[in-house]
Amino acid sequence: MTVRLANTCTRPVEVHLTGGVVVIPALSQIDCSPEDLALGQVAALCRRGVLVAHEPPVEAAPAAKPRRRPAKKRTS
């Protein structure tokens, strides 16, 4: 599962995630792991409103096609 971090500022933001340093461009989003949200810098930026964390939308599964009943044989 991933979490999306959105930069709400008009300037890039540099964050230190578990995988390394990432620069989030102005008004852009990146995917990260839920563990990254617990990191001090990320949590502080989220509290200040610089970053907003949200789960990406789940794509709906394609609708199942209705099953057709076999045609009844005519008896004459």
Side-chain angles (χ1 to χ4, degrees):
M1 181 176 148
T2 61
V3 176
R4 188 159 290 160
L5 278 178
N7 178 0
T8 63
C9 296
T10 56
R11 298 181 316 195
V13 174
E14 181 180 296
V15 291
H16 299 264
L17 304 177
T18 55
V21 178
V22 176
V23 176
I24 307 172
L27 304 173
S28 295
Q29 301 177 4
I30 64 163
D31 290 334
C32 67
S33 69
E35 293 81 25
D36 290 327
L37 297 180
L39 298 174
Q41 179 195 20
V42 175
L45 290 172
C46 287
R47 281 192 303 272
R48 289 179 35 206
V50 174
L51 298 178
V52 176
H54 55 90
E55 292 182 17
V58 177
E59 293 182 18
K65 293 182 181 178
R67 294 185 182 187
R68 300 180 89 193
R69 292 185 192 173
K72 291 184 179 180
K73 290 185 180 180
R74 294 179 128 181
T75 55
S76 25

